[in-house]
Amino acid sequence: MVTNILFIVLTLVSIFCGIKFGYVDSHTPPAAFIISILLLILGLILTIFRKNLFENKINLRIHIIVVCINLLIVLFYLSPIFI
């Protein structure tokens, strides 16, 4: 449960940073991209060890939803590269 709260808070911080500072204004990676990519990597690693961290399926589903939101943020950043 603590993992989900931490991931949700950091995802909201990532979205806030993206709105406040912009998503693609700079040549350096924005803070929202860095936070989202780190949460995505950490979230996938934690999903591998799900039997030890998530007691019930609801917590696991919330975790996977938040990881997918971070994946969408990362894909949004990378989409101008492929256009």
Side-chain angles (χ1 to χ4, degrees), residues 7-72:
F7 268 76
I8 290 170
V9 168
L10 289 175
T11 300
L12 292 175
V13 167
S14 173
I15 293 170
F16 176 75
C17 287
I19 291 171
K20 184 171 182 168
F21 301 115
Y23 285 100
V24 290
D25 291 340
S26 172
H27 65 280
T28 59
F33 177 75
I34 299 296
I35 295 170
S36 290
I37 196 77
L38 290 175
L39 285 176
L40 181 65
I41 293 168
L42 185 63
L44 293 175
I45 291 171
L46 290 177
T47 304
I48 293 170
F49 300 112
R50 66 181 171 260
K51 295 188 189 237
N52 297 334
L53 293 174
F54 304 108
E55 301 86 27
N56 55 25
K57 290 184 180 183
I58 294 173
N59 284 338
L60 180 63
R61 287 180 185 162
I62 292 171
H63 178 74
I64 290 175
I65 289 170
V66 173
V67 169
C68 289
I69 291 170
N70 284 306
L71 176 65
L72 290 175

